[in-house]
């Protein structure tokens, strides 16, 4: 096992990783930007190293400074958390060259999964269902027209190098395809330096349901059930839960088996997630693989009892999983609400500022992952998420009630937050009935104003 791990991240996920390290008897090194001197992660780590100015590109994305921090503190491994360098294959390669363990999959696998058109081909070879579409890159508008006519409109034109919702365009008919093809290509070229696009059928009002995986370096792969992530605003997840309201034991078994097959065919190691789109008839299609720990991982921890971050560290150290699929029991229902410093009444604009006072909920079945404290000033440079509030109860109905109570106890003074928005969502009839898809929060006026 490692003696010391450097955490190349900030905020609640840095704290989350530190807790796992401490339970495993591992020393921690925090890195922080000049804007994060008073951030909790920099305060409570065993050692902390300033890696540069506030802007992420000069600090949390500054690979040279992070590697140097690792070398001066003699940390043996780097945990990248999510965002920042977590899906950067070049950084994982740099760690390898420097003899530092990157806690995540091999850079070759990250590369392979980062190219969406080729990832799709890999999935087809493993028998994983994918959205019907082109066989790889579509080189010209004429090809695009031919393929779209074959699969039928509406179609999505997608950048193979895409991410963060960029380089994706919808074409509803043949009249639109030329303009949308060119728009997707140009955006992809501008954002990713690669204009290659592919085409797939547009799935109408799908759900986003993802499967959590753990894979060790000894060929053991298990899935830990699903997370329902359809409640999103402009592709940003707002609330996640497990089980999904649409799940059946039979569907979970098929989706889980597909995810495990996907991990095996790609030689995947460590924690990862396969995102699926699920249509109204419960057909599911591979969308993408996230080669990192995710924001919403505690939802799965609550229903499985497995500490995913400790598992990541153990896997990276070469240990075996120590359990198999039949040992994984899903119990109860878990919900996560992302608490952001943002103003739902003004188009969710971020609201950095100083937290004057803070009262957090508690009690049986309530968990908070956060790096906020009273007196903390949220800097304007990074993500606006300040806490994740989770509950677990025997049933979905009870979990909803528990979450309403917890949200109503949560008091953050000094900055605007989305707590009231979350509370209204928890009281929405369609939410309560489990009746929503990925477009739900973009269509519905939750604040009712
Ligand atoms: P996830 O898929 O991990 O649940 P989202 O899909 O909401 O997270 O986040 C969208 C992207 O933004 C993710 O790919 C992640 O890399 C990045 N991201 C999310 N939260 C943070 C954060 N706190 N800091 C940096 N990057 C983040
Ligand atoms: P990114 O890497 O940018 O997140 P994704 O492939 O995950 O790209 O797609 C982003 C979002 O676009 C998805 O979360 C989903 O809402 C929507 N989307 C992507 N492909 C399709 C499709 N074939 N049909 C309907 N919606 C889609
Ligand atoms: Mg995505």
């Amino acid at each position: 096992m490692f003696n010391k791990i450097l955490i190349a991240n900030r905020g609640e996920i840095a704290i989350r990783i530190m807790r796992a390290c401490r339970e495993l008897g591992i020393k921690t090194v925090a890195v922080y930007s000049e804007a994060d001197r008073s951030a909790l992660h920099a305060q409570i780590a065993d050692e902390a190293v300033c890696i540069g100015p506030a802007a992420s590109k000069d600090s949390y994305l500054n690979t040279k400074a992070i590697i140097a921090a690792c070398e001066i503190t003699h940390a043996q491994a780097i945990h990248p958390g999510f965002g920042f360098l977590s899906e950067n294959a070049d950084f994982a390669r740099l760690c390898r060259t420097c003899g530092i363990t990157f806690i995540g999959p091999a850079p070759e696998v990250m590369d392979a999964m980062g190219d969406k058109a080729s990832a799709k081909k890999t999935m087809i070879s493993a028998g994983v269902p994918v959205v019907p579409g082109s066989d790889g890159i579509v080189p010209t508008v004429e090809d695009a027209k031919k393929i779209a006519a074959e699969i039928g409109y509406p179609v999505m034109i997608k950048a193979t190098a895409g991410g963060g919702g960029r380089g994706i365009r919808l074409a509803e008919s043949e009249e639109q395809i030329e303009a949308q093809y060119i728009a997707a290509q140009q955006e992809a070229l501008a954002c990713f330096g690669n204009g290659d696009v592919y085409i797939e059928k547009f799935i109408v009002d799908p759900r986003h349901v993802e499967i959590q995986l753990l894979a060790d370096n000894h060929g053991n792969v298990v899935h830990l059930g699903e997370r329902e992530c359809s409640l999103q605003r402009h592709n940003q997840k707002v609330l996640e839960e497990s089980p999904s309201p649409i799940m059946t034991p039979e569907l979970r078994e098929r989706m889980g088996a597909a995810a495990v097959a996907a991990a095996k065919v790609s030689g995947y190691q460590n924690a990862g997630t396969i995102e699926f789109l699920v249509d109204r008839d419960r057909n599911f299609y591979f969308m993408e693989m996230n080669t990192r720990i995710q924001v919403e991982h505690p939802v799965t921890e609550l229903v499985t009892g497995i500490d995913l971050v400790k598992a990541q560290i153990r896997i990276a150290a070469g240990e075996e999983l120590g359990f198999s699929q039949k040992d994984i029991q899903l119990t109860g229902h878990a919900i996560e609400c992302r608490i952001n410093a943002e103003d739902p009444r003004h188009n969710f604009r971020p609201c950095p500022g100083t937290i004057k006072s803070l009262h957090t909920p508690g009690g049986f079945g309530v968990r908070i992952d956060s790096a906020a404290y009273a007196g903390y000033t949220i800097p304007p440079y990074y993500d606006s998420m300040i806490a994740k509030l989770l509950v677990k109860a025997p049933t979905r109905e009870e979990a909803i009630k528990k979450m309403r109570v917890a949200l109503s106890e949560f008091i953050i003074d000094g900055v605007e937050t989305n707590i009231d928005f979350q509370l209204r969502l928890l009281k929405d009839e369609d939410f309560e009935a489990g009746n929503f898809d990925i477009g739900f929060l973009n269509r519905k006026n939750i604040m009712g104003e």
Side-chain angles (χ1 to χ4, degrees):
M1 186 42 78
F2 310 110
N3 294 317
K4 200 189 266 188
I5 291 178
L6 181 143
I7 299 155
N9 215 301
R10 64 182 304 281
E12 63 82 23
I13 191 64
I15 305 294
R16 167 74 189 87
I17 297 163
M18 248 174 246
R19 287 180 175 141
C21 289
R22 291 199 164 131
E23 288 178 35
L24 291 168
I26 300 167
K27 294 249 177 304
T28 57
V29 179
V31 293
Y32 63 95
S33 71
E34 284 166 12
D36 269 344
R37 281 186 196 285
S38 57
L40 194 60
H41 78 285
Q43 301 291 314
I44 68 168
D46 296 314
E47 292 169 76
V49 181
C50 183
I51 47 165
S56 297
K57 69 169 176 33
D58 300 321
S59 49
Y60 297 105
L61 294 173
N62 183 345
T63 56
K64 283 193 189 128
I66 291 169
I67 297 286
C70 221
E71 282 171 349
I72 57 170
T73 57
H74 304 289
Q76 297 145 309
I78 295 182
H79 196 306
F82 50 71
F84 298 126
L85 296 167
S86 61
E87 294 187 285
N88 185 321
D90 290 335
F91 179 64
R93 248 185 298 268
L94 183 61
C95 290
R96 183 194 272 170
T97 309
C98 298
I100 299 162
T101 303
F102 176 86
I103 301 176
E108 293 75 22
V109 178
M110 291 164 76
D111 275 335
M113 287 298 144
D115 184 276
K116 292 182 169 187
S118 80
K120 226 175 141 176
K121 285 189 180 172
T122 308
M123 293 307 138
I124 294 169
S125 76
V128 178
V130 301
V131 183
S134 62
D135 182 22
I137 306 299
V138 179
T140 68
V141 177
E142 273 54 54
D143 294 312
K145 283 184 182 160
K146 224 177 93 203
I147 290 157
E150 274 165 35
I151 58 179
Y153 288 91
V155 298
M156 284 291 241
I157 304 157
K158 299 175 69 169
T160 191
R166 311 298 294 274
I168 298 184
R169 287 290 185 284
L170 171 66
E172 290 179 287
S173 64
E174 170 137 10
E175 289 78 71
Q176 293 179 356
I177 193 142
E178 182 158 357
Q180 297 296 69
Y181 177 92
I182 292 167
Q185 212 173 32
Q186 281 175 351
E187 187 169 290
L189 196 60
C191 294
F192 314 111
N194 173 356
D196 288 347
V197 297
Y198 63 102
I199 291 186
E200 59 189 34
K201 194 159 181 62
F202 178 73
I203 310 293
V204 179
D205 298 340
R207 287 187 176 242
H208 171 131
V209 180
E210 57 188 32
I211 301 280
Q212 177 69 51
L213 291 166
L214 280 178
D216 67 17
N217 308 353
H218 307 273
N220 302 303
V221 185
V222 297
H223 77 82
L224 285 81
E226 79 282 5
R227 291 184 292 259
E228 165 69 63
C229 302
S230 302
L231 292 165
Q232 315 182 349
R233 283 192 62 259
H234 307 299
N235 293 326
Q236 286 292 329
K237 295 165 188 164
V238 170
L239 179 154
E240 303 95 341
E241 61 182 313
S242 186
S244 165
I246 58 154
M247 196 47 72
T248 65
E250 180 272 332
L251 180 61
R252 181 179 296 120
E253 200 167 311
R254 281 195 292 128
M255 290 180 72
V260 168
K264 286 191 170 158
V265 72
S266 53
Y268 197 83
Q269 287 165 0
N270 216 289
T273 299
I274 308 277
E275 296 184 343
F276 291 103
L277 289 175
V278 183
D279 71 16
R280 286 179 188 149
D281 302 320
R282 288 196 172 86
N283 297 305
F284 63 91
Y285 308 97
F286 170 83
M287 182 160 51
E288 66 173 337
M289 178 161 200
N290 292 323
T291 57
R292 56 177 161 86
I293 195 76
Q294 283 188 265
V295 173
E296 61 273 22
H297 75 275
V299 169
T300 298
E301 295 183 327
L302 291 179
V303 294
T304 60
I306 292 170
D307 185 315
L308 286 168
V309 179
K310 280 205 261 180
Q312 283 193 292
I313 296 169
R314 289 197 173 111
I315 290 168
E319 289 184 17
E320 285 203 45
L321 276 184
F323 51 82
S324 61
Q325 194 64 55
K326 65 172 176 7
D327 300 318
I328 291 162
Q329 301 281 344
L330 304 178
T331 59
H333 196 99
I335 303 177
E336 170 179 278
C337 287
R338 298 189 186 201
I339 307 301
N340 301 327
E342 64 187 15
D343 185 357
R345 291 195 164 78
H346 293 94
N347 200 27
F348 295 84
R349 67 162 183 228
C351 292
T354 301
I355 297 175
K356 293 206 187 75
S357 68
L358 180 65
H359 176 82
T360 52
F364 185 33
V366 178
R367 167 174 171 177
I368 294 179
D369 281 24
S370 177
Y373 58 86
Y376 173 59
T377 300
I378 304 161
Y381 311 102
Y382 315 106
D383 199 84
S384 63
M385 189 173 75
I386 45 178
K388 301 186 304 206
L389 173 60
L390 292 112
V391 298
K392 166 148 190 216
T395 65
R396 186 169 190 268
E397 209 183 334
E398 290 163 284
I400 290 173
K401 285 184 183 150
K402 197 184 279 289
M403 183 59 94
R404 288 180 192 151
V405 172
L407 282 167
S408 63
E409 285 178 20
F410 211 154
I411 300 170
I412 303 176
D413 275 338
V415 296
E416 294 293 333
T417 73
N418 64 340
I419 291 174
D420 189 37
F421 175 87
Q422 291 280 16
L423 201 48
R424 286 168 193 250
L425 173 56
L426 265 288
K427 289 177 180 167
D428 183 86
E429 278 176 19
D430 288 319
F431 170 74
E432 248 185 301
N435 182 17
F436 51 82
D437 59 67
I438 57 172
F440 179 78
L441 285 183
N442 297 334
R443 291 191 301 267
K444 191 143 186 167
N445 182 6
I446 294 292
M447 297 306 285
E449 284 157 10

